[in-house]
Amino acid sequence: MNMKSIFGLFLILLLAGAKPAQSQLVKVIKFNQLNQLVNQPNDTLYVVNFWATWCAPCVKELPQFEALRQAYSDKKLAVLLVSLDDKSDLTRKVNPFVRNRKIRSKVVLLDETDLNTWIDKIAPEWSGALPMTLIINQRRKIRQYIGKPLKEGELTTIIDQYKL
């Protein structure tokens, strides 16, 4: 496809009212807001991943969460990516990271500087090391802690056991 064809296609889509895909802006939240997000008394299985842009194993496993979100888009499953980057890095690092990698899962930045005040409330077994994933459903009493990087395909295997 040449540039003229691409431009023509873009013009047709623009005139038809189509908008180019917009990347999300990451919302900054506090622990109480995070707690409310993941502890809903509904049928949704929440896959919550704690990560940071500076964490190589975190970055490596992020495509698995995107693939999971897409594969289960017709099921009651929600992926939440919780960035533990510093709040001051939001516009300079986190938002560009999410945009450049075309992440469509919900991403929030947890603005809590003192890990000791909230980490045990999330997962008492968690040392604070990244990445860390929790699979939660309050109604079905599901709570699975994964305190290590996930290998390729491992996340799907874990989710499949919950028969969504």
Side-chain angles (χ1 to χ4, degrees):
M1 194 180 265
N2 63 29
M3 280 304 276
K4 192 174 181 181
S5 299
I6 294 171
F7 179 74
L9 182 59
F10 177 75
L11 191 57
I12 289 168
L13 290 173
L14 190 63
L15 292 174
K19 296 180 184 174
Q22 296 277 327
S23 65
Q24 66 175 303
L25 289 177
V26 177
K27 184 178 178 183
V28 177
I29 64 171
K30 291 296 205 178
F31 172 76
N32 288 340
Q33 293 167 292
L34 173 64
N35 205 30
Q36 288 174 355
L37 281 174
V38 300
N39 287 307
Q40 298 290 323
N42 58 31
D43 290 333
T44 301
L45 186 68
Y46 293 91
V47 179
V48 185
N49 178 255
F50 291 82
W51 68 285
T53 59
W54 45 262
C55 168
C58 300
V59 172
K60 184 179 178 183
E61 73 177 9
L62 281 176
Q64 289 190 65
F65 294 96
E66 280 298 283
L68 185 77
R69 179 193 58 78
Q70 287 179 321
Y72 287 85
S73 64
D74 62 337
K75 306 284 185 200
K76 291 187 177 188
L77 181 132
V79 174
L80 177 62
L81 304 174
V82 182
S83 170
L84 295 184
D85 285 273
D86 190 86
K87 182 181 170 184
S88 66
D89 290 331
L90 179 66
T91 55
R92 191 170 48 88
K93 289 183 182 175
V94 181
N95 279 330
F97 179 95
V98 169
R99 180 179 60 247
N100 292 339
R101 285 177 172 70
K102 298 178 175 60
I103 295 173
R104 299 291 177 238
S105 297
K106 183 175 178 98
V107 182
V108 296
L109 186 143
L110 185 60
D111 181 25
E112 295 289 350
T113 53
D114 185 2
L115 294 173
N116 295 325
T117 61
W118 61 271
I119 206 164
D120 284 344
K121 295 173 186 171
I122 292 284
E125 61 271 63
W126 184 24
S127 69
L130 295 177
M132 190 279 279
T133 303
L134 279 178
I135 300 169
I136 305 168
N137 177 279
Q138 293 298 327
R139 184 173 284 171
R140 294 175 57 193
K141 308 249 186 283
I142 295 171
R143 184 187 175 286
Q144 183 172 350
Y145 166 83
I146 306 164
K148 63 178 181 63
L150 293 157
K151 294 182 179 114
E152 189 69 36
E154 187 176 8
L155 185 58
T156 302
T157 301
I158 291 168
I159 296 305
D160 284 345
Q161 75 182 345
Y162 294 116
K163 299 180 182 10
L164 296 177

